[in-house]
Structures are given as structure tokens and as C-alpha cells.
């Protein structure tokens, strides 16, 4: 066993309760995809205090999972590994790397001298499953250490906050990277189609996406009250999605939130396949995808596979899901996610 992964020796006894520190300092979609693993950890260590090292702006959704007790603020640009040097407590009893599969994230935890370290990069770490779905990959990682985790254990409780637009179709045109951002004019065309069919449509975006949201609203003929800019507080955003009739978005955090609340969703994929990040099998979730060689998920311009999705096809998928379940066409083949090519 390497020094980074070896149990620390000669450390004083820790104060009660014992502590588990989990590193997953990524975005909202990553957090929600990691919920099944976090809940597996919660069940495996019921008497431990579980802390999640992640961006402080995601503290509310992290606590809403019921899987952790507190957040240790930790973030770095992009998807880099943050420093945990501001940890002030005694060494964690258990440290778990859910951030990545390399030595950088392992070593960020190892410097805290945990009594036990679980990481892909440790000699006893389970093999990295590069082609597995994100939820399944981290559950399999934990199972390699004898910790049971269910990839479908991902639902969030309904928030107490009232929705700003109950029953509306929520359209979220933004994404963290340009390669996963379907053009705004295409979103606007779908918005016009949904409104023409009699549906109320609400546009939303992150704190840095106001210009995009306003541009889509102007092209789509949205009234001002149905344009939610500035990035909603977590409670309102969660309630908006939980009470929506449908969520239309790219491969981003809001798609995972729709799944977490059991809200019908249409998600536009490219350059990454929905078999890696898409919704679980359900008649209420459609993953739109044109198969092809994967591209850069962090690129600046819309991916070629994403651009192959037409406005007519996306609008038709939304209108199909908005019909009562009994009126929808039957499914003909089982799939991990309902993927419409």
C-alpha cells in the first residue's frame, strides 16, 4: 500500500462522533449524480458525522439530500482538485474520494492523514469504469469497498418553498460549457411552439446567463413575468422544478434536478452520450441524442452532435411528454434511458 493510502499510525483518538470526509467539489449535476453514492456512505456510517467537501454555493442542495451533516467549503477553477488545507479538525476517521480517479484528488485527502482512505488511485481501489454511467460508476466504486449503494436512490424531497410558476414548462437554455449549449434561437423556436399549443413557459438560467435567457425570451415572445433571471435561490429553483409540468434543458444540472423530483424532462445530449450522464429508464424522461464520436464536453462552441437535434424534433418530444401518459405511444424496447435518436 502506498504512503498516501496507508492507514495513519500513531494518531490520537478522535473526538466523538467519528468523521467521514467526502470529496466531490464539482457542480450541481455532479452533486445530484453522486446522491446514490452519498446515501450509501450515510447508511454504511450511521454513527459518523459526514462532511462533504464541495463548493459552498451548493450547500443547500447537498444538505437537502439528507446524506450529509455539513459542507466543507472547497472549490477550484473548472473541475480541478481544490486544496483542503483549511481543514482544522483532527484527521478524519474515513476519507472518500468521489471527485476523480487520479492521484491529485487522492492526495488532497491523504495530506489530512485519515485513518482510512478510499480512492480509485489507492492500490486497493476498485478499477475505474470509464464507460459506466456516472451514478453507477460511483456506486460500483463503493461496492468495491463493501459499501452498498443503489444507483436509483436519487430522489429529493419536495421543498417547502412555493413554486414561482406551478405547472409551467421550464426551459433552461444554459449550460456550463458552450459545447453542451444548444443555440438560443432554437430554444426560442421551441418556446413559441409550446406557447402556441397552450402551455405556459418559464425561462430560467444561472447567475451568469441573463443575456442568453433574455435573448431567448425576446425571440420566443415571452412576457416579462415568465423570465426568471439572476439565478434563483435554491429553494425557489427546486420548487419550480418540482412543480413543473416539464423541464427542457441541455445536459446540465437542471436535468438532474428534474429526475431528482420525478418531473418529466426532455434533455438534449451532445457531445456526451446519455448512457454516461442521462436519466434512468422511465417513460417520463426523454434523452435526445444523435450517436457519433464523442466530443469535448468542456468545449466553447456547440458540439456537432448537439447541433444535429432539430427544433421540430425537440418540440415534438416535449409535446409528447406533456400528453397524459395513457395517450403516449407505447415503448418498443427497453433502454437504460429513453433515448430518441
Amino acid at each position: 500500500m502506498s504512503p498516501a493510502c496507508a492507514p495513519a499510525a500513531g494518531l490520537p483518538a478522535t473526538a466523538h462522533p467519528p468523521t467521514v470526509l467526502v470529496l466531490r467539489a464539482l457542480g450541481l449535476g455532479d452533486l445530484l449524480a453522486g446522491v446514490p453514492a452519498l446515501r450509501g456512505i450515510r447508511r454504511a456510517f450511521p454513527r459518523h458525522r459526514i462532511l462533504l467537501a464541495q463548493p459552498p454555493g451548493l450547500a443547500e442542495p447537498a444538505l437537502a439530500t439528507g446524506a450529509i451533516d455539513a459542507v466543507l467549503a472547497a472549490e477550484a477553477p473548472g473541475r480541478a482538485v481544490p486544496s483542503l488545507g483549511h481543514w482544522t479538525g483532527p484527521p478524519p476517521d474515513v476519507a472518500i474520494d468521489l471527485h476523480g480517479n487520479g492521484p491529485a484528488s487522492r492526495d488532497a485527502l491523504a495530506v489530512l492523514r485519515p485513518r482510512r482512505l478510499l480512492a480509485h488511485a489507492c492500490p486497493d481501489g476498485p478499477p475505474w469504469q470509464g464507460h459506466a454511467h456516472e451514478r453507477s460508476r460511483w456506486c460500483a466504486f463503493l461496492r468495491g469497498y463493501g459499501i452498498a449503494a443503489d444507483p436509483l436512490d436519487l430522489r429529493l424531497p419536495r421543498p417547502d418553498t412555493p413554486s414561482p410558476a406551478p405547472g409551467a414548462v421550464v426551459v433552461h437554455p444554459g449550460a456550463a460549457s458552450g459545447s453542451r449549449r444548444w443555440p438560443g434561437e432554437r430554444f426560442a423556436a421551441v418556446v413559441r411552439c409550446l406557447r402556441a399549443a397552450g402551455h405556459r413557459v418559464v425561462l430560467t438560467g444561472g447567475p451568469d446567463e441573463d443575456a442568453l435567457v433574455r435573448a431567448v425570451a425576446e425571440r420566443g415572445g415571452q412576457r416579462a413575468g415568465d423570465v426568471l433571471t439572476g439565478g434563483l435561490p435554491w429553494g425557489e429553483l427546486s420548487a419550480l422544478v418540482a412543480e413543473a409540468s416539464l423541464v427542457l434543458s441541455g445536459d446540465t444540472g437542471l436535468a438532474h434536478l428534474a429526475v431528482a423530483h420525478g418531473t418529466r424532462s426532455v434533455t438534449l445530449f451532445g457531445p456526451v452520450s446519455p448512457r454516461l450522464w442521462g436519466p434512468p429508464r422511465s417513460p417520463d424522461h426523454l434523452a435526445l441524442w444523435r450517436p457519433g464520436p464523442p466530443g469535448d464536453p468542456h468545449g466553447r462552441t456547440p458540439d456537432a452532435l448537439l447541433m444535429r437535434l432539430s427544433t421540430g424534433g425537440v418540440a415534438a418530444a416535449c409535446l409528447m411528454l406533456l400528453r397524459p401518459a395513457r395517450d403516449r405511444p407505447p415503448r418498443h424496447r427497453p433502454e437504460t434511458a429513453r433515448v430518441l435518436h
Side-chain angles (χ1 to χ4, degrees), residues 182 186 190 268 288 290 306-316:
W182 204 47
R186 298 194 189 186
V190 175
L268 313 183
L288 305 190
R290 298 293 185 186
L306 183 64
M307 292 296 289
R308 290 170 60 190
L309 299 177
S310 68
T311 55
V314 172

Side-chain angles (χ1 to χ4, degrees), residues 23-31 53-56 58 74-83 99-100 176-177 180 208 296-300:
L23 173 61
R24 191 169 175 84
L26 300 164
L28 176 62
D30 303 276
L31 168 64
Q54 64 151 37
L58 296 177
E75 56 187 331
R79 299 175 72 80
V81 178
S83 168
H99 189 93
S177 61
R180 291 182 283 124
D208 301 323
D296 179 5
H298 309 295
R300 295 186 177 183

Side-chain angles (χ1 to χ4, degrees), residues 66-151:
I68 69 165
D69 298 300
V71 166
L72 174 69
E75 56 187 331
R79 299 175 72 80
V81 178
S83 168
L84 302 178
H86 55 296
W87 174 269
T88 57
D93 292 86
V94 183
I96 304 177
D97 179 8
L98 297 185
H99 189 93
N101 66 332
S105 50
R106 176 202 65 193
D107 293 348
L109 290 166
V111 297
L112 304 181
R113 302 181 69 202
R115 283 176 163 72
R116 185 183 181 198
L117 176 56
L118 281 55
H120 273 296
C122 285
D124 65 344
W128 175 256
Q129 299 184 7
H131 297 289
H133 192 285
E134 183 73 2
R135 291 186 297 271
S136 299
R137 173 189 295 133
W138 291 109
C139 290
F141 163 74
L142 292 177
R143 285 196 298 272
Y145 282 108
I147 298 173
D150 179 1

Side-chain angles (χ1 to χ4, degrees), residues 12-51:
T14 59
H16 294 287
T19 300
V20 176
L21 176 62
V22 182
L23 173 61
R24 191 169 175 84
L26 300 164
L28 176 62
D30 303 276
L31 168 64
L32 296 177
V35 166
L38 291 172
R39 287 183 173 153
I41 293 168
R42 172 81 281 170
R43 288 189 294 269
F45 299 98
R47 296 181 178 83
H48 287 59
R49 184 168 186 257
I50 299 179
L51 287 84

